Amino acid sequence: MQPKQMKRIFLIGYMGAGKTTVGKDLAQRGGLSFVDLDHAIEARYHKTVREIFQEKGEEGFREIERKMLAEVSTFEDVVISTGGGAPCFYGNMEFMNSVGTTVYLKVSVDELVARLEPCKHTRPVLQGRSCEELKTFIRENIEKREVHYLKASIVFDAETMLTETDVENISKALLNLL
Ligand code: S3P
């Protein structure tokens, strides 16, 4: 009998793509543990991501994010959902590809704007932008970020995620691919 293969899955994608929602469901269905990178940072520093941005700036946050990514990437049989910017700094994408399977949850700009507009104040990168500004920002930002996102082992269409059944279907489809 073949020994069971260790699984380390990274969910990547833009803010609002559903990385945490899908990650939790996927982990449960696959019998894996689940780590949310932002939550791991907040638990370690006893501060919200927003507070870390305020105190240390984006550069300080990215440094912390890189270290925490390296730390949680030693875990085995795990689904790790990363912050939207994580794959785009310090060669993190190459690093994740070297230690696990990366899955890009791809969602259109219009759908992301609809999902993010009501909760933009919780994301330091988005706060203070009007709806139109948000749309322009997300479109331009994704264009830059996709250079990294598209290096994922799996690019998965996560456009439809309205109901629990949608999430279930996405996780089941992913489990078949992984
Ligand atoms: C960020 C995304 C956030 C969080 C931080 C920065 C980004 O995570 O890491 O606010 O630059 O895209 P989510 O993608 O989980 O919202």
Side-chain angles (χ1 to χ4, degrees), residues 74-87:
T74 58
F75 300 164
E76 301 197 339
D77 292 318
V78 65
V79 176
I80 299 166
S81 86
T82 64

Side-chain angles (χ1 to χ4, degrees), residues 131-169:
C131 190
E132 262 320 296
E133 285 168 354
L134 192 66
K135 194 167 182 172
T136 309
F137 176 79
I138 292 178
R139 189 183 311 108
E140 291 174 0
N141 199 212
I142 286 193
E143 241 172 63
K144 290 187 204 137
R145 288 186 171 187
E146 274 208 329
V147 176
H148 306 279
Y149 293 163
L150 290 171
K151 289 179 189 158
S153 327
I154 297 170
V155 177
F156 193 87
D157 179 347
E159 185 79 5
T160 310
M161 210 182 296
L162 287 172
T163 63
E164 273 179 35
T165 314
D166 294 333
V167 175
E168 190 181 319
N169 289 339

Side-chain angles (χ1 to χ4, degrees), residues 13-16 19-20 38 49 53 58 61-62 65 82-85 123-125 145:
Y14 207 70
M15 291 170 266
K19 301 173 298 265
T20 305
D38 282 339
V49 167
F53 261 77
E58 177 163 5
F61 173 75
R62 297 300 173 196
E65 181 176 58
T82 64
R123 265 97 167 181
V125 185
R145 288 186 171 187

